[in-house]
Amino acid sequence: MTDQPDNRERIQRMEAALREALQPDSLQIDDESHLHKGHAGAQSGRGHFRLRITARAFEGMNALARHRAIYGALGAMMETDIHALSIHARTPEEAAAG
């Protein structure tokens, strides 16, 4: 048995934080932790996640600024719950263009 929270609960907390901070049009978080079993970072019990997010909040931001906004929204979870986060962040116009 582990002291780490279930990743479903982590994803719910991640979603809540991102919705509050960025008010996304769309948000999808996939747990990819199972792909990293045996990886040194996986031994900490923190998760590996893929994030796809579309939000007007990203308008006028470059990729680095978008990532910083996401990390800021997730706050302490980046240190306590998330080992790796793959990010695909777009504006609604970018999403509509394909």
Side-chain angles (χ1 to χ4, degrees), residues 1-92:
M1 187 160 210
T2 178
D3 292 333
Q4 295 297 324
D6 183 281
N7 280 341
R8 289 174 293 193
E9 188 266 338
R10 284 181 174 157
I11 289 172
Q12 289 173 348
R13 289 190 294 125
M14 291 168 66
E15 286 178 351
L18 291 165
R19 287 188 192 286
E20 182 178 335
L22 301 171
Q23 301 176 354
D25 293 352
S26 67
L27 174 64
Q28 179 180 345
I29 302 172
D30 298 315
D31 182 3
E32 295 187 338
S33 300
H34 65 284
L35 300 174
H36 301 274
K37 288 192 184 212
H39 177 263
Q43 294 173 3
S44 70
R46 299 183 316 172
H48 290 70
F49 302 96
R50 177 177 304 277
L51 169 64
R52 291 177 188 86
I53 183 170
T54 302
R56 292 212 176 277
F58 297 139
E59 291 176 356
M61 290 185 183
N62 64 25
L64 181 58
R66 293 175 188 193
H67 286 219
R68 285 181 176 155
I70 290 165
Y71 297 147
L74 294 173
M77 287 188 74
M78 292 301 300
E79 300 295 325
T80 60
D81 293 271
I82 302 167
H83 174 72
L85 183 63
S86 171
I87 299 172
H88 190 136
R90 303 182 296 178
T91 65

